[in-house]
Structures are given as structure tokens and as C-alpha cells.
Amino acid sequence: MSFADLGLFAPLLQRLDELGYRSPTAVQRATIAAVLKGRDVLAAAQTGSGKTAAFALPLLQQLSCAGPRVAANSVRALVLVPTRELAEQVQQSVQRYAEGLPLRSYAVYGGVSINPQMMALRKGVDLLVATPGRLLDLYRQNAVGFAQLQALVLDEADRMLDLGFARELDELFCALPRRRQTLLFSATFSESIRQMAGELLRDPLQVETSPRNAAAASVQQQLIVVDKKRKSELFLHLLRRRGWGQVLVFGKTRKGVDELEQLLLAQGIRADSIHGDKPQPARLRALQRFKDGQVQVLVATDVAARGLDIDQLPLVVNLDLPQVAEDYVHRIGRTGRAGATGQALSLVCADEVERLLAIEQLIGQVLPRSEEEGFSPEHRVPQTTATGQLLKKPKKPKQKLIPGAGKAPGKGKVHLGNWFEDDAAPKVRAVRKAPRFGK
Ligand code: AMP
């Protein structure tokens, strides 16, 4: 099947040819013709599957062929996205696809000055990409109105709910005309997403181009067990030893991300970071430098986990496992995109075993594990099983302790390991009992 078979018109076909898109991806095959006919769509699409083009191409065609010219402070199609980075990225894709069409597109998001956005909206925008909070601000200040709105896209709808945008979304939905086309894209389908779809969509075409919560088959996943305090050191060792090229590294906390970045910079490695404490321009700059190849290692919190499209990224490393298992799928989805192969490596310590279990249950597989020579963990990471349980270690016979000979009873025999964040360690003396997992 070709793009022409889907009903796309000549200017877009020519543009796709220039961009080197030879044939539509699965989600594009499933949705483009229906969107062109004006149908609502509910799509579960794997990250990196080409879903931006799946909604942008038919909407750009509709906007070019039908409807009035856009009025001042108006929008004709609205794409809501969860993060600023994704807003920029979707807008860049839209601009690429729309080159040569008489349409204006623009992106608005928080963390940067609102004034240039108000100025840009004055002339009206055919296709606006927006994060919910900033769009609501602009709407309340009458910088944008929705009387001309023909189409609404909710991109990464699950992430928008996870980030707590439900209230903003409700307020925005009330401001939109009821007669419109609505397309909802989500990587995962939770109950709340289904409920939202039930309220917003009319007789939608349901599209599921990949098994739920699946990572792309093109991503090779593995883990290395290591002690928590040696993770950064191991990362540096692997980077050198394995001669890694560009790597995207995910850390749990802003502090951890900053620390790894500083360690890498101190070693003369070109590194940058993205996390919620950094101002938006610095975040975008870091991403752009990474995309341009000026930075070898980009260290990020989950701010960067979803939706980002980085060309030819061969490797994603999880310095820490994410708190929410679904984020694992999104993180590793940064590699192995658009048919390329990729590698995802997680550095896992003993106190992350519950998270590991949750991830393995979600993706339905036990991740192959190994140890790196010189980095064998002192704190054992219990073996997991395909049924999402821990393999119990056979009990060792108890050793008799002779008071006065060697160590005193209760000292130094069994230790707790790093079961607490350093700053959250209990003040009381530890009870000498090893933590137990499983049932
Ligand atoms: P997305 O899932 O929309 O973020 O897209 C992932 C990547 O696939 C982007 O780099 C797109 O430029 C690329 N892409 C999308 N559709 C196609 C296609 N039909 N052929 C080749 N590359 C594509």
C-alpha cells in the first residue's frame, strides 16, 4: 500500500517523497484514510511508530482543502501534547510535512515568555500544538478562541492524565465546539483513557497497531546487576570499555542526573542534561545539541521519556529503573524507532527488585541479566521469574556464634543493604534481619 492509495493529495505526496518516506507505517495505513473522511479515531500506537504523520498529514490536507481562512486569534486544528519537548517536536514535524502548503502552524507551551505566543496567535494559526496549561492561560486572556476549530488531537493522552492535566483538559473541552473531529492517541489504554474516549469521541475507528505495553521488537533489552553506589562508575566504565557512541541515560532524580552529568564532564566527555529544574530554553538546547551530535551523553529524568524522536539513537541506559513500570516502555522506546535496531541496558541494584518485577510483569518477559567484571554487587539482586515472582534462595544452615570469638553477635553478619534513600535512612539502629521478598 502506498501513501497515494490512502487518498493523500499531490503536494503531500511530493513532500513525503522529498522526505524519503517510501511507504506508510502500520498506524498510518490504519488511520489516514479514515481521518481524511472525517472520522473520529481512538488509536493505541507504539512510540516511534509514525503516529505524528498519521494525524498531521490528513489534517493538513483537510485544512488546505476545506473551511474558511483562519481568523485573528483563532485556530482550526489543535494538537494537545503533555510536554514542552513533545510540543516542539510535533510542531517541527508538522512544519516539515506542511512545507509549501498555505498554512500556518505554531506551538505554545509553558516555561517560556507568553508574549511572543500572544503575538503569533494574533494573525490566527491553522494548526496549533499546545500543552494544556499554557493553552488555558492564553484562552483565559482571550489570546485564542476556538469558534473555527474543526479538529482536536490528543497526543500521548495517557501521559497527559499521568501528569495531572485532567482539570485543565476538562476546562478546555468545555470551550471547544461540539461539532468537530477528535483523534485520541495513547501508548497505553487505562480505564481513565477509555472513559475519556467515551466522552469525547463519536463512533471512533479503533486502531491498535501493537500489543499493549509492548516495547518494539527491534530493541534488545538487558540488565547488569550492580551496587547502587557504583552505578555512575559502572556507566563510565561501560561507556569507555564498550566504545559507546551516543547514549541517552535516564536517572530517577534531578540530583542523580546532575551528578552523573558533572562526573562525565569532569572526565572530558561531552554531556548535557534535561530535568524539571532546568529552564525550558536550556532543556531544548540540550536536546538540540544531542540531536545535532554535539553531545555524546544526554542524561535525563522522565521528563524526556515520552515522545522524543531522536534519529538513529542506538542505545538507552537506565541508570535507575523508573518508578512507574509503563515509563520503562517509553524510555526504551527512544531507541529502535522507525525500523532501526536499538539496545536498552538497565543498571539494577538490590533495592530496585520490586520495580524490576513490575516491569517484567508489564512487558511479559524476564530481562536477561549479567554482571560486569569488577562490579559484582555486594548486595545480591534476587533472581526474578517469568511469573513475576522472586526465586527464593535456599536457606543456609545457621552458624553458631561463640561470644568473644570473632565478631560480637548481631554485628556485621547480615546487613540491610541499601534499602533506603541515603537521606531517608531510619535514625533507629537497624534490626538485624534480612528483608524478605515474595510470598
Ligand atoms: P513518530 O512516531 O511520529 O515520533 O515518528 C517516528 C519517526 O519515524 C520520525 O523520525 C518520523 O520522521 C519517521 N517516520 C514516520 N513515518 C514514516 C514513514 N512512513 N517512513 C519513514 N519514516 C517515517
Side-chain angles (χ1 to χ4, degrees):
M1 186 187 272
S2 69
F3 280 111
D5 297 332
L6 298 173
L8 290 176
F9 70 168
L12 281 176
L13 294 177
Q14 191 188 331
R15 192 69 198 112
L16 291 171
D17 195 42
E18 286 160 7
L19 290 172
Y21 288 18
R22 298 281 163 258
S23 54
T25 65
V27 67
Q28 292 162 3
R29 280 198 300 275
T31 53
I32 288 178
V35 179
L36 281 173
K37 286 188 192 126
R39 227 176 136 181
D40 283 2
V41 170
L42 172 63
Q46 199 167 337
T47 181
S49 59
K51 67 185 161 64
T52 314
F55 63 76
L57 294 171
L59 288 185
L60 288 170
Q61 180 160 333
Q62 281 177 329
L63 292 169
S64 305
C65 299
R69 271 175 67 104
V70 69
N73 297 104
S74 295
V75 292
R76 297 171 63 208
L78 175 64
V79 180
L80 289 175
V81 296
T83 65
R84 302 153 184 185
E85 282 80 9
L86 191 56
E88 265 300 323
Q89 185 181 293
V90 169
Q91 158 62 0
Q92 281 171 14
S93 295
V94 168
Q95 246 174 353
R96 255 188 304 151
Y97 301 141
E99 211 177 282
L101 298 178
L103 298 171
R104 258 200 304 272
S105 64
Y106 192 67
V108 295
Y109 43 83
V112 293
S113 167
I114 200 168
N115 292 333
Q117 299 179 351
M118 292 176 115
M119 297 277 284
L121 285 166
R122 268 191 205 159
K123 284 184 268 170
V125 170
D126 293 285
L127 191 153
L128 182 69
V129 185
T131 53
R134 175 54 60 96
L135 183 65
L136 202 54
D137 264 3
L138 288 159
Y139 172 69
R140 286 181 185 143
Q141 297 186 47
N142 294 322
V144 64
F146 302 114
Q148 280 194 320
L149 192 94
Q150 298 169 214
L152 167 70
V153 180
L154 298 162
D155 193 11
E156 311 239 350
D158 50 344
R159 184 64 166 167
M160 283 198 271
L161 294 184
D162 286 351
L163 290 176
F165 284 129
R167 204 184 47 78
E168 280 92 345
L169 288 174
D170 279 345
E171 198 173 333
L172 284 169
F173 296 154
C174 289
L176 304 181
R178 293 180 83 82
R179 255 180 71 89
R180 58 155 205 262
Q181 184 178 12
T182 308
L183 318 174
L184 191 155
F185 289 81
S186 184
T188 47
F189 276 169
S190 61
E191 206 33 58
S192 42
I193 290 291
R194 293 200 175 274
Q195 198 183 332
M196 188 190 214
E199 285 162 17
L200 294 178
L201 305 176
R202 270 173 304 133
D203 180 29
L205 171 73
Q206 300 212 17
V207 175
E208 194 156 352
T209 52
S210 61
R212 266 176 233 170
N213 300 325
S218 51
V219 182
Q220 192 200 4
Q221 306 170 60
Q222 47 182 301
L223 64 86
I224 297 185
V225 289
V226 63
D227 280 334
K228 184 172 169 175
K229 60 178 187 295
R230 299 196 67 197
K231 283 186 171 190
S232 299
E233 193 192 335
L234 173 60
F235 177 81
L236 194 62
H237 164 86
L238 292 170
L239 182 73
R240 290 194 168 128
R241 176 95 196 264
R242 300 192 177 180
W244 284 342
Q246 276 205 306
V247 197
L248 176 61
V249 191
F250 286 103
K252 189 174 54 175
T253 62
R254 295 162 189 189
K255 190 165 158 259
V257 164
D258 278 341
E259 277 170 10
L260 180 62
E261 184 196 2
Q262 292 311 319
L263 176 76
L264 294 169
L265 289 173
Q267 299 289 320
I269 292 158
R270 287 168 294 129
D272 210 330
S273 65
I274 298 186
H275 58 63
D277 274 351
K278 278 196 146 185
Q280 188 58 21
R283 282 159 57 168
L284 289 174
R285 200 169 50 241
L287 182 64
Q288 198 54 52
R289 289 179 66 214
F290 188 64
K291 284 184 173 185
D292 293 345
Q294 295 166 26
V295 161
Q296 185 188 357
V297 183
L298 183 64
V299 198
T301 56
D302 279 304
V303 159
R306 297 214 189 189
L308 298 187
D309 177 34
I310 298 162
D311 232 12
Q312 311 277 318
L313 180 66
L315 176 64
V316 168
V317 171
N318 290 312
L319 190 72
D320 308 299
L321 292 180
Q323 260 154 4
V324 180
E326 275 87 2
D327 280 341
Y328 173 82
V329 179
H330 294 293
R331 283 181 178 189
I332 72 166
R334 300 309 99 216
T335 181
R337 288 163 81 79
T341 54
Q343 238 200 330
L345 177 68
S346 302
L347 310 186
V348 179
C349 66
D351 55 356
E352 287 177 310
V353 74
E354 298 289 351
R355 287 183 192 181
L356 178 61
L357 275 177
I359 288 165
E360 290 182 337
Q361 259 186 315
L362 180 79
I363 62 174
Q365 70 178 92
V366 175
L367 296 174
R369 63 160 73 190
S370 62
E371 281 183 15
E372 183 69 11
E373 208 187 317
F375 288 87
S376 293
E378 282 174 26
H379 305 289
R380 199 180 73 91
V381 181
Q383 184 65 54
T384 50
T385 69
T387 52
Q389 280 165 349
L390 296 171
L391 215 57
K392 283 189 182 141
K393 237 181 137 182
K395 275 190 180 168
K396 278 190 195 158
K398 275 190 181 168
Q399 272 188 342
K400 273 194 182 163
L401 289 164
I402 305 158
K407 287 175 180 167
K411 270 202 177 163
K413 275 291 165 197
V414 186
H415 51 71
L416 283 169
N418 295 333
W419 302 101
F420 306 96
E421 294 297 333
D422 291 342
D423 51 356
K427 297 281 179 285
V428 291
R429 262 192 65 179
V431 178
R432 296 287 160 182
K433 206 171 170 194
R436 290 176 55 192
F437 290 105
K439 303 194 170 109

